[in-house]
Amino acid sequence: MTGKIILPDIPELEFAPELPPKGPVVWMKDNLFSTPRSSFLTVVGLYVAYVFTKGFTGFVFNYAERRWDAVTDNMKLLMVYLYPNGTSERILDAAGEPINQMHRVWISLGVVIALTALSLVFWRVGGKMAPKRITRTLQISGGFLLFVFLGVTILDYVFGVLFGFDFGGWEWQFSTKVHFWTILVGVVLLGGGLLVDRAMGDRGKEETISVIGLLGALAVVVVGLLWVIELPRLSGTEPGAPKVFQPIEETTTLPWTIMLGVAFLSYWVGVGLRRVIPDRAGTRVLTLAWLVSFPVLVMAVLRDPGWDEVVAPGFSLGNYLTIGAAFLVVGGLVIWAASHPAIGEWSAAIVAAIGVAIVFSWSVSMLMFIRFSLFAVLLFVLGAKTFGGATQVRRRYLLLWAGLMVFLTYFFILVKGGNTVETQTPSPFGGFVLTMIIFVSVMLLSFPFGVLLALGRTSTMPIFRLMSVAYIEVVRGVPLITWLIMSIIFMPFALPIGANVPDFVLVILFYAGFSAAYMAENVRGGLQAIRAGQKEASVALGMTTVQTMIFITMPQALRTVIPALVGQAIATFKDTSLVAIIGLLDFLALAQGTVPGQPLYRGSLRTMLIFAAFFYWIFTFSMSKASQRLEKKLGVGER
Amino acid sequence: MTTEKTLGENDIIICEGVKKWFGDFQALKGVTTNIKEREVVVVIGPSGSGKSTFIRCINRLEVHQEGRIIVDGVELSSDVRNIDKIRSEVGMVFQQFNLFPHLTVLQNVTLAPMWVRKKPREEAEATAMALLERVGIPEQAAKFPGQLSGGQQQRVAIARSLAMEPRIMLFDEPTSALDPEMIKEVLDVMKELALSGMTMIVVTHEMGFAREVADRVFFFDYGTIVEEGTPEHFFTNPSHDRTKLFLSQIL
């Protein structure tokens, strides 16, 4: 049989038919009341929402004992605890005036904001957004306000007055003023959202609004409101004493305005820089800046170390500089030799010699700086075969060594240099600053340690595998809070006599060790998800096991476990609040203990807890949103 | 068809009684053969006959338990330094491509030359672009493997192996995972490579390729070489019954 042509021409493209938009009644019938069961669930769900929001928002907006003044009055305490702000009678300068050190906090915040703005530019965060999404958000929040303030009142009236049910009396305490304004805001949001939506029509669905621009505008509005709305400030100590408005320079209005300026300036500088600097170089420099900025801000800016023996007994700046320079030069020579292609068996001899030196350094009394520097030399010599080679590459490797050594020297000088920011407490840190310091330190320390543990656990070498498994199982088997208590109660006895390690440092070390065990299990999951062919292809190209791990397996494994790692970061952030139990004054400890403990703010505990919960939530929610964007960008789950 | 190229004098691969077990299952039952420089060997045979295991033993992705394998004068043993040296001399192309999905095409090709051969980045990139040109996809250099068709991915994989300037190329069923429309573009690249004088061992079911390009054809079954010979001998006058049966089923 001969064939015949069925299709004479290639058919033209057809567009999918456009469905007419659904009306609200049809939508509700389709989605909320489609079957008897779903109707039942809708009614029950609405009732639960009604009871919950009534109780919760009733407290937030109407409850007679709410004490939002406790939050605003104690904001500085909650953020930085007793960091000197020029009010303490105990911390005076030579002239007898109280010292104000708050500019250090603002400088740190400014650096973080500047780095964030630059990162937004170089990582190209933020795209376009459809106006429809914004108007919908407005409608939903307006609808929520109306439901709470109008709907609940009406429902209460219906249930309480017409049917005689009594759901508790306080809902009638809606103060008329708050009630009126909130309902007005609700109407404006809902109505405005609907009107704009109607006016925009189909254009509202096009993605035309820049997300970054929107956030910038929002920040301008919020900071602008600080200038317009005068927050009541504490004055006098008598409960119920009238509050006066403080002049602007004593509030945070001006600093926040400067921060806003820093944000905008950095963003535009970043936009300008991106025209000159390639993205890859920019993101690398920024990553390094983020990593270095944390210890420098905490140790150098917030603590302000001193360089003489009065502040830090037994410390000599000259010694540290000499040792650092010696390691830089001698270590550099050794690494230069070890990275020579013709080094051969001599490499093993160098490694052995350094190994002996390390054992020696830990068995006698020796500066921690020397011990850690020896470790660094060993690490670089071990990596020399993998990362060395051609002269160009060796030079870059040596440059990396110099950079690390400079940073190590600087870091140890900072640590040993003592603390010249005088506070009423042994450690200058408390409040939200302490929470952040614990969180970031734990993440920074536990990440490399966790990756090492994961590698150990998947290693073919039995001794590493056994040690990793034992560590992970022991650490995970004991509750975190037990480890934290042990860090404070037990460690001072295990440390050498005279070693004066602050409590929060011990807590960070133990917490990091704990977190690393979980990190290891997450990373191991990622390693197992990689197909065997990847490793085969890599070794078939002649790459060593270490190179395969660094360039092929680990990047892919970490990409797959980003959701798990962010989940762990969020958990770590929240669990920093456990240190409140062992007496560290972090954000939660202040919110639930210190603030309500003041006579002036007696009875503010519930308000403070709501505020603390909301404050933690803002951060964790941002983290989870950021991770979703990161996942999308890296294409996880689309392979 | 025989080409104008002349085979080298020396045996670049020597196998003597190579045996390999997976648990109780014996995959290789004593393979003995010599392969000369610039020779193109095509290995055919039913699945499970040990042909993949054989070429995976040659760059020690599988470890043989008995017998000797000598590649380019170096005997494969458990000495790690020998293995790394051999692996950088022996390129391998896989059935599933195994490109690195988190790297761009260019990075896939330059990674090993930069870190194993220690070439400067500029030189590695120049070589890589020349190789991508040779396999016909220079315009895809900045893309990620996931954005390429199967045939393009396999050609990148070939370029990636060639970037190490290997003396021997192993192909493990390079076209078996491809759509029929894409097989030809990969085979064309392989033919060009064979004509340029590369020593190649190709496991494949593409009989046209074997007939046209091979200097010798191995027929594998039961974990050993059942019959070997020139393509003419093999496709016109096979002597072993098992070979006749196999060819009658696939041709």
Side-chain angles (χ1 to χ4, degrees):
Chain A
M1 185 188 139
T2 53
K4 70 173 181 185
I5 292 172
I6 293 175
L7 195 64
D9 289 310
I10 296 167
E12 281 184 21
L13 285 178
E14 288 177 30
F15 290 102
E18 210 165 307
L19 295 172
K22 284 179 186 173
V25 178
V26 179
W27 184 88
M28 273 166 55
K29 193 168 175 301
D30 282 357
N31 294 287
L32 298 178
F33 302 101
S34 53
T35 61
R37 194 181 59 177
S38 80
S39 310
F40 173 73
L41 287 175
T42 301
V43 171
V44 168
L46 276 178
Y47 179 73
V48 170
Y50 155 69
V51 170
F52 178 74
T53 48
K54 193 181 74 163
F56 192 73
T57 55
F59 180 86
V60 173
F61 292 104
N62 303 298
Y63 189 45
E65 287 176 37
R66 72 201 147 91
R67 290 292 306 271
W68 293 110
D69 58 327
V71 175
T72 48
D73 287 357
N74 290 295
M75 195 55 93
K76 184 252 159 189
L77 188 81
L78 289 168
M79 292 300 126
V80 295
Y81 192 44
L82 293 178
Y83 206 79
N85 67 337
T87 56
S88 169
E89 289 152 16
R90 276 185 263 172
I91 299 169
L92 307 171
D93 62 9
E97 290 292 316
I99 296 173
N100 188 344
Q101 299 275 19
M102 286 302 283
H103 60 277
R104 298 181 177 279
V105 177
W106 289 109
I107 289 173
S108 308
L109 187 62
V111 170
V112 171
I113 287 177
L115 283 177
T116 310
L118 287 171
S119 305
L120 290 180
V121 176
F122 273 94
W123 269 280
R124 296 173 188 272
V125 178
K128 300 277 184 184
M129 188 171 161
K132 181 117 190 161
R133 275 180 65 188
I134 301 162
T135 52
R136 191 173 296 157
T137 314
L138 293 182
Q139 288 168 32
I140 289 172
S141 25
F144 176 75
L145 285 177
L146 287 182
F147 171 72
V148 170
F149 283 84
L150 208 56
V152 168
T153 314
I154 292 170
L155 283 172
D156 277 351
Y157 182 78
V158 170
F159 283 126
V161 177
L162 299 184
F163 295 111
F165 293 116
D166 188 7
F167 290 106
W170 55 261
E171 60 268 20
W172 299 109
Q173 292 173 1
F174 275 62
S175 88
T176 42
K177 197 174 150 207
V178 171
H179 206 167
F180 172 76
W181 282 109
T182 320
I183 289 176
L184 191 69
V185 169
V187 170
V188 168
L189 288 179
L190 183 61
L194 283 171
L195 277 180
V196 174
D197 230 12
R198 185 65 51 90
M200 298 274 296
D202 273 348
R203 281 183 299 136
K205 290 178 193 160
E206 292 159 21
E207 312 218 314
T208 47
I209 296 181
S210 145
V211 176
I212 298 277
L214 194 71
L215 286 176
L218 214 64
V220 169
V221 168
V222 170
V223 174
L225 280 178
L226 284 179
W227 289 88
V228 179
I229 300 174
E230 287 174 290
L231 288 172
R233 297 283 150 173
L234 177 67
S235 135
T237 49
E238 290 293 308
K243 288 167 182 166
V244 295
F245 293 113
Q246 280 194 336
I248 276 165
E249 60 265 29
E250 284 183 38
T251 70
T252 53
T253 307
L254 188 62
W256 275 118
T257 311
I258 295 172
M259 291 300 123
L260 186 70
V262 168
F264 274 85
L265 192 70
S266 322
Y267 189 81
W268 289 117
V269 166
V271 170
L273 280 178
R274 205 178 62 190
R275 300 216 180 96
V276 199
I277 304 173
D279 272 13
R280 197 166 59 180
T283 49
R284 272 187 195 171
V285 170
L286 274 174
T287 311
L288 197 67
W290 274 112
L291 286 177
V292 173
S293 72
F294 175 70
V296 170
L297 288 180
V298 172
M299 308 299 296
V301 178
L302 290 178
R303 261 174 91 245
D304 189 27
W307 311 125
D308 50 32
E309 285 219 33
V310 182
V311 181
F315 169 76
S316 155
L317 184 63
N319 279 357
Y320 275 82
L321 289 178
T322 319
I323 296 170
F327 264 103
L328 194 137
V329 175
V330 179
L333 287 176
V334 173
I335 292 162
W336 182 252
S339 62
H340 195 277
I343 184 79
E345 302 294 324
W346 283 100
S347 171
I350 297 177
V351 169
I354 301 172
V356 170
I358 289 176
V359 172
F360 176 74
S361 75
W362 284 85
S363 44
V364 298
S365 170
M366 181 85 63
L367 283 179
M368 269 296 173
F369 180 39
I370 297 180
R371 293 173 174 167
F372 274 86
S373 301
L374 278 173
F375 259 124
V377 179
L378 181 70
L379 217 64
F380 267 70
V381 169
L382 284 176
K385 189 167 177 283
T386 305
F387 298 103
T391 314
Q392 185 199 14
V393 185
R394 282 170 79 197
R395 237 178 250 147
R396 203 179 300 159
Y397 197 54
L398 213 59
L399 214 63
L400 196 68
W401 165 252
L404 179 80
M405 214 48 232
V406 168
F407 182 74
L408 262 186
T409 314
Y410 180 58
F411 184 75
F412 271 93
I413 290 175
L414 289 182
V415 172
K416 294 291 172 180
N419 169 21
T420 65
V421 172
E422 226 179 295
T423 50
Q424 301 170 44
T425 44
S427 150
F429 307 123
F432 188 63
V433 168
L434 180 62
T435 297
M436 279 317 266
I437 288 176
I438 295 177
F439 167 58
V440 180
S441 314
V442 167
M443 291 313 289
L444 284 181
L445 292 175
S446 66
F447 183 72
F449 189 29
V451 168
L452 280 183
L453 281 173
L455 291 181
R457 190 158 190 176
T458 49
S459 163
T460 47
M461 283 183 265
I463 180 78
F464 286 135
R465 197 171 58 238
L466 210 70
M467 277 166 61
S468 305
V469 171
Y471 179 88
I472 291 169
E473 294 308 330
V474 168
V475 167
R476 286 198 310 167
V478 178
L480 172 59
I481 189 66
T482 313
W483 286 122
L484 294 185
I485 294 171
M486 273 178 79
S487 73
I488 298 245
I489 306 290
F490 192 78
M491 272 315 278
F493 293 93
L495 288 171
I497 293 168
N500 189 16
V501 185
D503 281 354
F504 81 95
V505 175
L506 292 176
V507 165
I508 286 172
L509 292 178
F510 268 63
Y511 196 171
F514 181 85
S515 192
Y518 280 89
M519 187 85 72
E521 289 299 274
N522 283 335
V523 174
R524 187 169 69 106
L527 286 173
Q528 282 171 342
I530 296 171
R531 293 208 324 263
Q534 289 291 312
K535 224 176 191 174
E536 281 180 1
S538 178
V539 297
L541 286 165
M543 302 232 267
T544 63
T545 319
V546 178
Q547 286 170 337
T548 303
M549 191 54 81
I550 291 176
F551 297 119
I552 308 301
T553 348
M554 209 31 99
Q556 294 189 50
L558 292 181
R559 248 163 253 232
T560 12
V561 297
I562 283 173
L565 290 186
V566 174
Q568 204 193 338
I570 292 174
T572 307
F573 178 72
K574 290 184 294 182
D575 290 351
T576 53
S577 56
L578 284 175
V579 303
I581 299 176
I582 52 174
L584 293 192
L585 292 168
D586 78 325
F587 180 71
L588 182 68
L590 295 176
Q592 66 94 41
T594 311
V595 172
Q598 301 171 75
L600 193 56
Y601 303 105
R602 195 164 291 144
S604 66
L605 176 61
R606 272 167 284 199
T607 319
M608 294 309 294
L609 284 177
I610 289 180
F611 173 69
F614 180 66
F615 201 77
Y616 278 117
W617 176 80
I618 287 179
F619 281 86
T620 51
F621 185 66
S622 322
M623 276 191 250
S624 104
K625 278 282 163 204
S627 91
Q628 283 169 16
R629 288 188 151 275
L630 189 65
E631 268 175 56
K632 232 186 216 169
K633 199 170 172 185
L634 294 177
V636 178
E638 286 173 21
R639 279 183 303 157
Chain B
M1 179 183 94
T2 48
T3 57
E4 297 88 44
K5 71 176 181 190
T6 50
L7 299 187
E9 290 299 309
N10 301 326
D11 293 330
I12 195 166
I13 299 173
I14 301 167
C15 299
E16 286 173 13
V18 176
K19 292 182 185 173
K20 163 82 190 162
W21 287 264
F22 292 105
D24 286 336
F25 173 71
Q26 189 173 10
L28 295 180
K29 298 178 181 165
V31 178
T32 302
T33 185
N34 292 352
I35 293 167
K36 290 201 185 312
E37 254 178 289
R38 294 194 286 282
E39 187 169 11
V40 176
V41 173
V42 168
V43 182
I44 60 174
S47 56
S49 61
K51 53 192 195 303
S52 277
T53 310
F54 168 63
I55 69 165
R56 285 164 65 85
C57 279
I58 291 173
N59 69 350
R60 212 173 169 81
L61 284 181
E62 304 290 354
V63 177
H64 62 282
Q65 283 121 326
E66 270 181 37
R68 275 152 51 96
I69 301 177
I70 299 166
V71 179
D72 203 10
V74 181
E75 174 160 8
L76 296 186
S77 64
S78 52
D79 190 332
V80 179
R81 277 165 299 180
N82 279 352
I83 298 170
D84 283 345
K85 186 174 176 300
I86 288 301
R87 280 175 178 165
S88 58
E89 302 289 336
V90 181
M92 179 138 187
V93 175
F94 299 86
Q95 183 179 0
Q96 298 295 340
F97 329 135
N98 292 344
L99 292 181
F100 307 131
H102 61 299
L103 301 177
T104 63
V105 165
L106 189 66
Q107 286 169 332
N108 264 281
V109 183
T110 54
L111 186 70
M114 276 166 59
W115 291 105
V116 180
R117 291 264 188 259
K118 312 283 187 192
K119 280 190 186 174
R121 175 187 297 276
E122 298 75 31
E123 194 189 326
E125 283 181 355
T127 319
M129 284 314 293
L131 283 169
L132 289 176
E133 197 92 41
R134 186 169 167 193
V135 299
I137 38 175
E139 72 283 356
Q140 313 285 358
K143 287 193 184 168
F144 285 91
Q147 298 166 297
L148 269 52
S149 74
Q152 289 172 328
Q153 289 195 43
Q154 193 61 297
R155 285 187 280 160
V156 173
I158 294 173
R160 179 176 70 177
S161 293
L162 291 179
M164 287 297 289
E165 292 157 15
R167 306 196 54 200
I168 303 164
M169 286 284 284
L170 308 175
F171 292 84
D172 189 2
E173 304 202 20
T175 55
S176 300
L178 295 176
D179 289 345
E181 282 183 330
M182 294 168 184
I183 290 177
K184 186 177 175 297
E185 62 187 52
V186 173
L187 289 182
D188 285 347
V189 170
M190 288 166 63
K191 273 177 211 166
E192 188 265 333
L193 193 59
L195 291 177
S196 75
M198 175 68 75
T199 311
M200 290 163 65
I201 305 181
V202 184
V203 174
T204 188
H205 298 297
E206 295 296 324
M207 293 305 146
F209 178 81
R211 205 176 293 202
E212 196 176 336
V213 182
D215 297 307
R216 249 194 309 168
V217 177
F218 290 176
F219 176 66
F220 253 75
D221 205 356
Y222 317 113
T224 188
I225 301 175
V226 174
E227 184 167 358
E228 66 159 271
T230 61
E232 287 91 343
H233 158 82
F234 210 85
F235 290 107
T236 53
N237 189 21
S239 36
H240 200 283
D241 287 345
R242 184 68 189 92
T243 318
K244 285 178 192 160
L245 181 66
F246 179 75
L247 289 173
S248 73
Q249 278 166 346
I250 61 164
L251 289 178

